[in-house]
Structure formats: C-alpha cells, structure tokens
Amino acid sequence: MRRFLRSGPDPERERLKQELFQFSKTVEHGFPHQPSALGYSPSLRLLAIGTRSGAIKLYGAPGVEFMGLHRENNAVVQIHFLPGQCQLVTLLDDNSLHLWSLKVKVGVSELQEEESFTLRSPPGAAPSATQITVVLPHSSRELLYLGTESGDVFAVQLPALRALEDRTISSDAVLQRLPEQARHRWVFEMVEALQEHPRDPNQILIGYSRGLVVAWDLRGSRVLCHFLSSQQLENICWQRDGRLIVSCHSDGSYCQWPVSDDAQQLEPLPSHMPYGPFPCKAITKIFWLTTKKGLPFTIFQGGMPRASYGDRHCISVVHGSQQTAFDFTSRVIDFTVLTEVDPTAAFDDPYALVVLAEEELVVLDLRTAGWPPVQPPYLASLHCSAITCSHHVSNIPLKLWERVIAAGSQQSTQFSTMEWPIDGGTSLAPAPPQRDLLLTGHEDGTVRFWDASGICLRLLYKLSTVMVFLMDTDPNESLHAQGEDEWPPLRKVGSFDPYSDDPRLGIQKIFLCKYSGYLAVAGTAGQVLVLELNDEAAEHAVEQVEADLLQDQEGYRWKGHERLCARLGPVRFEPGFQPFVLVQCQPPAVVTSLALHSEWRLVAFGTSHGFGLFDHQQRRQVFVKCTLHPSDQLALEGPLSRVKSLKKSLRQSFRRMRRSRASTRKRRPAGVPGEVPEASSKAERVGLQNMELAAVQRKIEARSAEDSFTGFVRTLYFADTYLRDSSRHCPSLWAGTNGGTVYAFSLRVPPAERRMDEPVRAEQAKEIQLMHRAPVVGILVLDGHSVPLPEPLEVAHDLSKSPDMQGSHQLLVVSEEQFKVFTLPKVSAKLKLKLTALEGSRVRRVSAAHFGSCRAEDYGEHHLAVLTNLGDVQVVSLPLLKPQVRFSCIRREDVSGIASCVFTKRGQGFYLISPSEFERFSLSTKWLVEPRCLVESAETKNHSRPCNRAGPEKAVGRARNSGNQSDGEALGSGFKHLYPGERKQGKGGPGCSSLTGLCLPERTPGPMMEHALLNDERVLKEIQSTLEGDRASYGDWHSRRVAVGYSLSNGGAE
C-alpha cells in the first residue's frame, strides 16, 4: 500500500505557482454572434448590442467595453438608453424588461442588472394584451411608456419598474377623444411606434398598425391631433422642430404630415414611393433629418422593388439629388443615425449612419462626398470568410510592424478619414507591453493580419493568394457592380462575404518569421506558397515546383480533388507579402503541417501521405518522405470521402473497448474485496492523514498499426541539436505522424558564402516508434539548461540568449496520450507522463510558453501549455513533466472551439467561441490585460460634433470583471498588465485553491457566462476531427449558441 503514497505538496513550490499561474478569460474579440438588437446613447456616446443568447455588449472609444448576461437565456429584442443616464433598459422575447446600470465600485465601473419587470395581463385578458411591441424612455427620466399588441400604452415608473395604472393610455380612451367621423374600431390594433415631441415633453405620438397616428397630451389626457393613413403603418419620425411628422408604410411608401396648431386632423402631402411604381417591400424604419444647408436627409430601411430586389438587405440614403441604396450581404437588424446632441439646436446635422447587420457593423460617413464607410477599430467581422486556421506571433519587431501597417494602409483607401464617432468614455488600460500579431487563414484563400496587442482586435493587412491561380472569375470584379444610371442605385457595402470561389483555396497552415519577413502559407489542395515582404508593387512570375510524396509507389490512386492551376506568366502583386515560389504537393491533399526556418532558408510541409523539405533560396526540393502504411487507403480518398470511414472507425472503437474490458477482467485481483488486516489498515489510516494518494495509472491500449491514417503528418520541427553523436550538433528536421512515429533527418546546410553553390543535403538519422502508437502532436528540443531552443534568427537579433550547447540536449515528444522525454543523441527514454492513463483525456494543442513572476521581475519559468479534448487547459513543467495547474476553459462539446485554439509564447491563448468571435484567455499572472475605462457622467457631456472628447468630470469604468476563481474556472476577466509588486486577487483570495493543487475541483453550474456552441453532429465531427486533424474549417458551424448562467458585471458573475 505504501508504494501508492507520496509526500504532500511543497509549500515553497505552491507559493511560486501562485506567482506564476492564474487563469482568466480576458476579452472577446470580434463580432457578437447572432445579434438581435441595437441601442445608442447620444449623451454617453455608447453603442449597445444585444444577442439571441441574452448577452448585451456596450462599446465606446477603443478599449471601452462592457458586457452583461441576463439571467434568462432569452433573445434581446430591444435596447434603450435612458436619456442622460448611465442606465439602459432591455426588452427580451419573453416580454420581460430589465434595467441595467453602469455603477462605480471600488474605483471601477461595472454593468449590473438592477431590476426586472414583466407586464401582467388583467384577469381574463388574453396574454397578447400586454405583449410589448415598443418602448419609449421619457425625457423626464422617471417613466417608460410601453406600447402593446392590444393597442394600450402602459406607463412604468423608473427606476423601480412599477406599473402606474392611472397613467395607462388605453385604446378606448383614445377612441372616445377622437372626433365622431374618426371613431372606427378597425383602426386600433397593436402599437407600432411611440415618439416624444422633440420640443414638448408633454406630447407623445402614438402610431397604430392600421394607420392611425395620434398626438396625445400627457398632461390633459386628450388627443391634440390625429391622421389616418390608407396603408398599414410601420414606423413614424418627428421632425426636430415638431412641425412635420413622417410615416412609413407596408407598401414601400412614406408620407409627410405637416402639423399646425389649429388643425386637429392632419392632411398629408403627396405620398412618395422611392422605388415604385411596381409593388415594393415595406419601409420598416425612417429618419427625416434637417441640415443647415436646407436639404434634409431621408434615411430608411427597405422599400425595394419586391419582384427584382426583394431579397436585398438595403438601407437608402437620400439627400437632395443624391440617392444611394446601401446593399448589405447579411440581414439588417437595426440602424441609427448620429446627429447633433444639443436638444436646443435648430438642425439635426447628421454625421454618421450606424448599421447593425447580422454579420457585421457598418458605419458610414454622411459628411464626406460619396458617404464612404468608416474603418471600425473593433467589432471586426472575423468571419467575413470562414476562418480555417490561425497563427499567433509575439513581440513583433518595430520595422516589420511598420511595414505591415504601411502595406495595409494602401488597401484602406476606400475608407473615410473620419475618426471613429462612437467614442464614449476614455480607456485607461496601459499601453500594450509588446506588439503581437494574430494571423487568420480563411476559406477564400486570404490571410488577415490582426493587431492582437491590446483589447481591440484591429485589421492591419489582408493577403490574398487568389492571384497566383487561374480562376473562373476575376477577383477584382464585384458581384453587385452597377453602372451610374442603373436603378435602384445599389452599392455593396461591408466586408462580410461568405462565398468562396473555390474551396481548394482555403488556407490550412500559416508560418511567419518575424525577423526575416518570410511567410509560408499552405492550403487545401496541397499548395505551399513562400512569400516575402516587399514595400513596393511588383510584377513577376511565381516559380512552381512539384513534390511527389508518393514517390511513384504502385497501387495508389488519388480519388480526391484536383490541384489548382497556377498562372504561368508574370502576375502583378500589390505592396505587402508577395509569393515567389509555389510548391505543389502530389497528390494534392490538404497540407496538415508546416514549418519555416528562415535562417537556413528551408520550408517543410506535410500531408496525409508524407512530408518534404524545400530549399526556397535555391528553389529546389531537398527530399520527400512517404509515410503511407499499406492500409492507409483512406488517405487517398480526399476530405470529401472521409465520411465513408465512419462505420469502420466506430467498429474499431468498439473492438478496442472490448479488448480493454477483457484485459481489465484478467487483471482483477483474487480475494474478497475490501478485506484488509486490522493492524495494517490502522497504520495506513495514520499515514493517509499526512500523505496524499498517488493516482493509479491504467494501461494505455496500444493502437493497431493497421488503423487508418497512420501516415498523417501532424507536426514538423526544425532544431540545431545533437542528432548523430554528442560531439557535434547539426541542423535537423523532425516529423511526427498520426501513427506515433517520429522521423529525424540530419541536414547539411552550406555556409553563407557557398549557400547558392552547394545543395542542402538531408539524411534520415533516427526513427522512433511510440509503443502506444498515439498521434504525435508536438516535438520540442531542450538545450543543456532544459530551456526550449530559441526561434530562428532570435539570437542573431539579441532577443534571446544563445542556447546551451555544452550540456546534453533532450527531446520531448508529445502524443495525444502522453509526454515523453528522450536523451539525445542516443534517444533513450528518460521521463514520461501518461496523461490519458491518469485522466482519460487527450492532448489537442501543446505549446512551450514562458511564465513570468508577478512579484520578481527577473524570474520566470518555461513550461508547456496544454489543451485537451475535454476543454481543459493545463501547465506541465519542463523538463520534469510535473503537472502544475489545470483549469476548465472550453466546453467539451465545443469541438470546433477546441480545434481552433492557439497558444502564445507568454501563456495566453485564443479560441473561437462562435464563427465570428475569439475568446482570449491567460494562464499567466504577469501577462494579463483588462479593459479599464472612464465614463463621463451624462450631465457633463455636451458633444456637438464627431470628435473625441474627454471632459473633466469622469467616473471610473471597467469593461469586464476580472477575477481568479477558486475552482480554476474564470467567469470573466479583464485586460491588464500586472507589473512587479502588483497582485490581482480573485474571490478565492490569496490562498485560492486554483493555484494550490494539481487537479482543481469542477465547479457546479452557477452564475457564469460561457459562449458555447452545441453541435448537433458533434459525434460525427469529433470522429472526423480525429481523422482529419487540423484540417477542419472552423467556419462550419451548424449550431446554436447557448450562454449559461445568470447575472454578469462586465463578463463576471454576480
């Protein structure tokens, strides 16, 4: 029994863990998934977006973000800010109202839900009698007016959210106060619109769906005037001076109704149908905005000809003789217009149009000729084409950073020069300590470079690989391009474009060298492009080389897609990354692994058939290695044929389960269970009080060599290490396969003076076969100080210490089921950690990271950051392979989120929580960043033009509630760089158990928010993700988003 006991935790090590490791979900990058409502506060200059999962997100100036979640996971239908207040009201699809406030607590502002309210029907009335259709916050800040389906308007007191029955405006009361000739019962149905008089708060405009609109006197409870339209009413707008009412209708027309003091029944001006005379769709919302120049702006949604353009999502802007119908590629949720804030101003003077579409946010500059779009600093449409892979590069040199920005600025000439108009609050977050890039590969063959240094994920540059290949369509053509005289005057706007010309263009692997400016990208059809950064436009031919990975083996026939046809002649490339060589793998299978060594000018690539090495300086192939097993027929069928292997995979899984059960029965000990001698049990009980149990490992079932896809190359790694003998180190290439095989090749790279004259030579030096044959997901070489080898050219740029080449090197091989350390050059096993045997999980992602201490500036440790198929993130020490901490990060059902995860060199990570959003998390106490902001009080704000201001009176704000949870699961966190001496404490306190033990208890469902996508086909997807590895496109989400929990303060739980 004593062999299962081990000593307790070391107090000094536990203290170090608290200084090194802390789990926090810091910020969400991208565009909210499934938006359902839009709100804007002119006084606070804050934008609010609600989603179908019950989340609300507030945005102001870059870096000012707030997030909250309703207790009910119901869709947010409407959002309304209270005039001049740091409060807003949300309406959910369950007919409940919720009051939210930005309150200052301990020097920071948090978004909190204050009250909730549901309008109840009178006894015996139908439930629809109190179904809220429209919400009007009154300028008195004391009342909410609620229009309902029954035609009644209810008053609710603020902030208590209590119904005031004596202030209800019933449809019967309105009917009795109408003139005799207007008392037609049929005019009353649901309330479609409520508007307060822009000059007189005692008047509100009530619009009913059948076309009746009345101006109601709140003080005298009487009808001041009314008008009746012949068409069904959709919405109304009151001109700024109150002398004109504009109504829009279901037939695609709008009417103007002049208001006079002596006329009780208004007569309209001739109605106008902008895109008639043929039947048109309804105009659902309209703005009539005055300007100092005299010509008003008319901005409306819908109204397009039903037969020809009924499927378009359009918002039209009309100003004098100028008229444009902005055509969006996704459904328009809502829109608003930013105008003069001062209520005493004589004119609206609109300066920006804000449109919330289903897949993006678009802001248009109304003061610049042509109404160009404004480039957003946040809310980027990450999924403008489906994301297929991602790659993070830390600490970018300033020169490369500036060159990338310069190349991207030449792509942004279509944007307006206006500063971002939604600039409420001031970000107090410290400047990012370093420049980081997040590169995303997309289904349409593009690579996007994002500034991932701070809170806002900002697009810097877009690279397209389409120009290298012959396509049926010209990539410069616009699908909606029209001539100047065509009608309607459509103009495509926005960046969301879910359509790909050819799925073979999809980017699957990216590798960027930040020191040399070389970039390697690999795609779905076996194409590997090597690119170099060029500040000038150039026209040249891309050299093409074919790599036959099958090496003319007989009996194999590729059944998948064909290769892409490359252009033979010169191609013109814009400034930025320009390809100079194309390596085409044969068969043209998906590239599953990629590595680039810019110092040696070598690029390695792998597919399901094998791997190869290419010298991109001499433009020649060094070698190819076929890894196919005779049973790997599935590797030749292509990605679209993988589903055929489902039955075979399930059959093999059940066979392994039966073998496992059989072996368990054979290992079962004889004797009566639980029969323990009394004396020994007493001694063991005493020992257990001071010792903790060591986990009992179960046997890892070895996989058969005949399992499909054993030749699938999962990882490639360059290293300068001792491979042949312990006296000389040499360049080497390591490759790990799906069948648990590791190949090592020694390389001879000529010196710089003879680099172009002598070829690079390679020779296989080692081959390691893991006994359990689990897929190899990571390879790492540690130097004599047990530190991972530096990146290429990192030492030459004095950004890293030279590796220790005196002591013995070690090889770390990470498979899905265990970590194993070998000595070099003998390759003898030294240490191992059986992850699957202990916990039943499998490694999906692994990366070496440096964890700095939050107390000692000069202290840090190198460890492994690990993500498993259960969604846990772990830290494993190097080189002793001791598990340090484990946290629950991603829902285990979220297969796509787990597959999309990428780690950084500083212990942070990104993963997709939806097709359009990255969740950022951190495992480090030192590298934490958090949105911290100041929000001005409403009384001190007086913005009259679209510019950034910061008034003297401020209130502290915070975007997300950061905190280290005692169970190791962060509920929401912030974005802050902790300097030495600072220590962020969570609710668990300094002795939080999340940092004191190896395995942290799983938290029971509680008040937390986690954006997870439950896949209806998750079993099939998990099986296919095992077969296909990293090749799955993260953009294929047939799912719905579920948010778990109750109330949030900027992402944290209450």
Side-chain angles (χ1 to χ4, degrees):
M1 179 67 182
R2 292 187 180 277
R3 68 190 181 93
F4 293 105
L5 301 177
R6 63 184 179 192
S7 58
D10 179 13
E12 179 63 22
R13 183 59 196 169
E14 297 306 313
R15 182 188 63 81
L16 270 177
K17 285 183 183 180
Q18 295 186 30
E19 296 178 5
L20 294 173
F21 311 118
Q22 172 182 286
F23 179 75
S24 301
K25 289 185 178 179
T26 56
V27 69
E28 293 178 4
H29 298 299
F31 184 75
H33 184 53
Q34 295 182 337
S36 55
L38 174 70
Y40 179 73
S41 172
S43 57
L44 299 178
R45 299 176 75 87
L46 293 178
L47 186 78
I49 296 177
T51 70
R52 296 185 198 172
S53 61
I56 56 170
K57 298 186 177 184
L58 273 62
Y59 302 92
V64 178
E65 297 184 7
F66 296 88
M67 186 172 66
L69 182 70
H70 293 85
R71 291 183 176 89
E72 306 82 4
N73 291 331
N74 295 92
V76 181
V77 178
Q78 296 182 36
I79 301 177
H80 300 274
F81 282 88
L82 302 187
Q85 300 276 353
C86 291
Q87 292 182 311
L88 65 153
V89 173
T90 57
L91 173 66
L92 305 188
D93 62 358
D94 64 352
N95 206 42
S96 62
L97 286 170
H98 301 260
L99 177 65
W100 296 79
S101 297
L102 285 170
K103 286 197 170 182
V104 177
K105 284 190 176 181
V106 197
V108 292
S109 177
E110 296 180 352
L111 181 63
Q112 294 182 342
E113 182 178 355
E114 299 289 329
E115 299 286 345
S116 62
F117 169 79
T118 301
L119 193 61
R120 303 297 181 186
S121 302
S128 62
T130 53
Q131 185 68 39
I132 300 172
T133 57
V134 61
V135 178
L136 172 64
H138 195 261
S139 60
S140 65
R141 308 175 185 177
E142 299 176 354
L143 293 173
L144 279 180
Y145 287 99
L146 310 176
T148 62
E149 287 188 359
S150 64
D152 297 336
V153 178
F154 295 88
V156 174
Q157 187 181 29
L158 290 173
L161 289 186
R162 183 171 58 88
L164 302 176
E165 297 182 2
D166 57 332
R167 300 220 181 168
T168 300
I169 307 171
S170 66
S171 57
D172 291 334
V174 175
L175 182 66
Q176 292 172 5
R177 289 162 177 80
L178 285 175
E180 186 67 31
Q181 64 273 17
R183 293 183 184 177
H184 301 291
R185 188 68 191 179
W186 61 271
V187 300
F188 290 100
E189 268 194 4
M190 70 174 65
V191 177
E192 287 284 0
L194 287 175
Q195 290 281 332
E196 182 181 338
H197 193 289
R199 303 293 187 190
D200 186 359
N202 291 316
Q203 296 183 34
I204 63 171
L205 206 60
I206 308 173
Y208 299 93
S209 60
R210 287 290 182 88
L212 174 67
V213 179
V214 298
W216 183 263
D217 183 6
L218 296 174
R219 184 176 299 171
S221 297
R222 62 192 181 94
V223 174
L224 297 175
C225 60
H226 73 278
F227 62 84
L228 186 60
S229 172
S230 59
Q231 296 294 331
Q232 181 172 325
L233 182 71
E234 293 288 335
N235 217 318
I236 51 178
C237 175
W238 215 327
Q239 189 172 284
R240 192 178 189 90
D241 57 8
R243 296 179 181 177
L244 183 70
I245 297 169
V246 181
S247 63
C248 55
H249 303 277
S250 60
D251 65 342
S253 66
Y254 66 86
C255 295
Q256 304 171 50
W257 306 81
V259 179
S260 60
D261 298 333
D262 54 350
Q264 190 175 14
Q265 182 169 356
L266 306 183
E267 295 297 331
L269 299 176
S271 64
H272 182 56
M273 186 176 290
Y275 299 110
F278 298 106
C280 296
K281 298 195 72 175
I283 295 179
T284 56
K285 188 174 182 180
I286 191 166
F287 281 88
W288 180 276
L289 304 167
T290 57
T291 63
K292 294 177 182 177
K293 297 182 179 179
L295 296 174
F297 271 90
T298 307
I299 304 175
F300 56 89
Q301 178 182 350
M304 301 301 293
R306 187 178 298 273
S308 304
Y309 301 95
D311 59 342
R312 298 293 180 91
H313 312 290
C314 294
I315 291 181
S316 299
V317 180
V318 183
H319 184 222
S321 60
Q322 304 176 58
Q323 180 169 346
T324 300
F326 293 100
D327 185 14
F328 297 84
T329 53
S330 59
R331 183 172 61 91
V332 174
I333 303 298
D334 199 0
F335 75 99
T336 188
V337 183
L338 310 189
T339 63
E340 174 67 55
V341 177
D342 186 3
T344 62
F347 302 98
D348 294 295
D349 284 330
Y351 57 85
L353 169 63
V354 180
V355 182
L356 175 65
E358 199 167 33
E359 306 293 351
E360 61 186 333
L361 181 80
V362 178
V363 177
L364 300 171
D365 179 5
L366 298 180
R367 289 188 173 174
T368 303
W371 304 323
V374 182
Q375 190 166 20
Y378 47 75
L379 287 173
S381 183
L382 301 176
H383 64 316
C384 46
S385 176
I387 297 177
T388 50
C389 65
S390 55
H391 175 66
H392 187 274
V393 187
S394 301
N395 202 13
I396 302 294
L398 179 60
K399 185 176 180 180
L400 176 65
W401 186 264
E402 292 176 342
R403 295 176 69 189
V404 170
I405 291 179
S409 64
Q410 300 186 46
Q411 299 176 339
S412 305
T413 55
Q414 76 276 17
F415 290 108
S416 168
T417 57
M418 172 191 281
E419 294 187 17
W420 184 245
I422 305 167
D423 56 1
T426 304
S427 176
L428 294 182
Q434 63 183 28
R435 295 170 293 272
D436 292 347
L437 276 178
L438 179 66
L439 280 66
T440 55
H442 297 265
E443 192 179 42
D444 62 353
T446 60
V447 178
R448 286 170 168 81
F449 291 63
W450 304 91
D451 177 4
S453 312
I455 303 165
C456 301
L457 197 66
R458 183 169 58 96
L459 180 64
L460 300 181
Y461 167 72
K462 184 179 77 170
L463 163 70
S464 177
T465 62
V466 180
M467 301 299 295
V468 180
F469 305 100
L470 291 170
M471 307 303 298
D472 295 334
T473 59
D474 186 350
N476 296 319
E477 288 183 359
S478 173
L479 294 177
H480 303 287
Q482 286 190 319
E484 295 182 0
D485 299 329
E486 293 196 21
W487 189 262
L490 293 171
R491 187 205 301 177
K492 187 177 182 295
V493 68
S495 60
F496 179 71
D497 185 7
Y499 306 106
S500 173
D501 294 333
D502 194 326
R504 295 175 296 173
L505 290 170
I507 305 297
Q508 297 296 333
K509 292 293 174 184
I510 306 171
F511 203 107
L512 171 67
C513 176
K514 59 188 178 184
Y515 303 110
S516 64
Y518 283 109
L519 172 69
V521 297
T524 304
Q527 70 270 28
V528 180
L529 283 168
V530 185
L531 307 94
E532 188 175 14
L533 187 58
N534 191 347
D535 298 329
E536 303 293 334
E539 185 172 352
H540 60 263
V542 178
E543 191 167 339
Q544 303 174 37
V545 179
E546 187 172 300
D548 183 11
L549 296 177
L550 293 182
Q551 298 176 310
D552 299 325
Q553 296 192 33
E554 297 181 358
Y556 291 101
R557 185 171 61 89
W558 173 247
K559 303 175 185 177
H561 50 241
E562 296 180 357
R563 59 182 286 183
L564 286 165
C565 295
R567 297 180 186 268
L568 299 178
V571 181
R572 178 172 176 79
F573 297 101
E574 299 299 323
F577 285 92
Q578 299 172 354
F580 59 87
V581 65
L582 166 65
V583 181
Q584 179 61 56
C585 298
Q586 287 289 12
V590 175
V591 177
T592 58
S593 54
L594 186 68
L596 175 71
H597 200 292
S598 52
E599 187 175 1
W600 302 337
R601 300 293 197 270
L602 299 175
V603 59
F605 49 88
T607 71
S608 55
H609 307 115
F611 61 96
L613 182 66
F614 183 78
D615 180 356
H616 66 77
Q617 183 167 354
Q618 293 188 9
R619 312 289 203 271
R620 62 178 294 273
Q621 180 177 292
V622 180
F623 77 90
V624 291
K625 170 72 174 178
C626 180
T627 57
L628 275 180
H629 189 272
S631 65
D632 279 350
Q633 290 296 329
L634 285 175
L636 296 167
E637 294 183 1
L640 301 180
S641 303
R642 301 283 169 81
V643 184
K644 300 176 183 177
S645 66
L646 177 59
K647 291 183 180 179
K648 183 177 180 181
S649 300
L650 290 173
R651 191 181 304 116
Q652 291 169 346
S653 299
F654 282 120
R655 287 174 180 170
R656 281 195 294 266
M657 289 171 61
R658 284 196 293 268
R659 288 197 300 267
S660 177
R661 290 170 183 168
S663 60
T664 303
R665 286 194 294 269
K666 291 177 183 178
R667 292 195 301 267
R668 185 173 297 167
V672 180
E675 188 175 321
V676 181
E678 184 179 353
S680 63
S681 65
K682 184 180 295 184
E684 288 165 1
R685 282 198 299 270
V686 174
L688 285 174
Q689 293 177 359
N690 301 315
M691 310 283 281
E692 65 176 9
L693 283 174
V696 180
Q697 295 186 355
R698 62 176 175 82
K699 182 181 178 181
I700 297 179
E701 296 295 332
R703 308 184 186 200
S704 170
E706 297 181 357
D707 284 358
S708 299
F709 261 11
T710 56
F712 188 111
V713 180
R714 296 288 292 268
T715 182
L716 292 165
Y717 178 71
F718 285 107
D720 187 357
T721 185
Y722 298 96
L723 186 58
R724 292 192 172 277
D725 55 63
S726 57
S727 60
R728 291 181 303 170
H729 57 89
C730 66
S732 62
L733 172 66
W734 302 76
T737 71
N738 215 45
T741 306
V742 177
Y743 300 95
F745 282 76
S746 63
L747 308 177
R748 182 189 173 277
V749 181
E753 60 272 13
R754 300 194 304 273
R755 183 64 177 82
M756 290 299 296
D757 302 326
E758 299 180 10
V760 176
R761 301 191 182 278
E763 183 180 356
Q764 183 169 341
K766 307 285 183 184
E767 181 175 339
I768 307 170
Q769 177 62 60
L770 301 180
M771 294 300 294
H772 58 293
R773 298 183 183 275
V776 178
V777 296
I779 299 175
L780 191 66
V781 173
L782 308 178
D783 67 6
H785 291 149
S786 299
V787 175
L789 295 182
E791 298 178 15
L793 298 175
E794 192 171 12
V795 176
H797 285 76
D798 297 327
L799 295 175
S800 175
K801 294 181 181 179
S802 297
D804 179 24
M805 308 302 286
Q806 303 300 322
S808 60
H809 285 197
Q810 301 174 79
L811 170 69
L812 171 65
V813 178
V814 182
S815 72
E816 281 189 353
E817 299 177 355
Q818 71 177 17
F819 303 79
K820 201 164 188 176
V821 174
F822 299 87
T823 59
L824 288 177
K826 293 185 178 180
V827 194
S828 57
K830 183 179 180 181
L831 289 169
K832 66 180 175 181
L833 170 64
K834 297 180 180 179
L835 182 73
T836 300
L838 290 171
E839 302 153 12
S841 58
R842 295 186 177 185
V843 178
R844 285 289 181 257
R845 286 285 184 274
V846 62
S847 176
H850 181 267
F851 294 88
S853 171
C854 63
R855 295 185 183 274
E857 177 70 21
D858 56 347
Y859 183 78
E861 298 177 357
H862 289 275
H863 296 293
L864 287 178
V866 181
L867 173 71
T868 71
N869 64 325
L870 303 181
D872 296 334
V873 288
Q874 306 183 27
V875 177
V876 178
S877 67
L878 288 176
L880 299 179
L881 301 182
K882 297 288 186 182
Q884 302 297 301
V885 288
R886 185 179 73 209
F887 307 96
S888 178
C889 180
I890 311 173
R891 290 177 59 91
R892 65 177 66 187
E893 297 89 355
D894 190 4
V895 179
S896 298
I898 293 173
S900 66
C901 183
V902 58
F903 287 108
T904 75
K905 299 295 184 183
R906 297 292 181 178
Q908 299 184 65
F910 299 82
Y911 70 94
L912 286 170
I913 56 176
S914 77
S916 58
E917 291 173 289
F918 273 112
E919 176 82 70
R920 184 175 190 152
F921 64 89
S922 176
L923 296 168
S924 170
T925 58
K926 186 173 182 179
W927 295 94
L928 271 179
V929 277
E930 170 183 40
R932 301 178 62 87
C933 51
L934 289 171
V935 178
E936 294 181 89
S937 61
E939 289 78 9
T940 62
K941 300 190 72 172
N942 183 21
H943 291 280
S944 60
R945 60 182 184 272
C947 62
N948 293 313
R949 289 189 179 183
E953 297 184 24
K954 308 274 186 177
V956 182
R958 183 175 68 177
R960 290 171 65 98
N961 182 25
S962 67
N964 176 29
Q965 309 305 322
S966 60
D967 65 344
E969 184 158 354
L971 307 186
S973 57
F975 201 3
K976 180 183 179 184
H977 177 59
L978 296 184
Y979 296 96
E982 293 188 20
R983 174 64 178 157
K984 179 193 281 190
Q985 298 292 352
K987 296 180 181 179
C992 181
S993 64
S994 64
L995 301 176
T996 57
L998 161 66
C999 184
L1000 303 170
E1002 186 175 350
R1003 184 181 178 92
T1004 57
M1008 60 167 290
M1009 176 179 185
E1010 182 164 5
H1011 297 283
L1013 294 172
L1014 299 180
N1015 232 315
D1016 297 333
E1017 301 173 338
R1018 57 178 180 266
V1019 177
L1020 175 61
K1021 282 184 176 288
E1022 181 140 29
I1023 292 173
Q1024 286 204 230
S1025 67
T1026 303
L1027 295 175
E1028 298 178 17
D1030 296 335
R1031 302 190 313 97
S1033 167
Y1034 308 143
D1036 186 17
W1037 302 72
H1038 303 290
S1039 54
R1040 63 183 181 91
R1041 184 173 180 176
V1042 177
V1044 182
Y1046 303 109
S1047 175
L1048 278 168
S1049 302
N1050 302 334
E1054 285 266 318

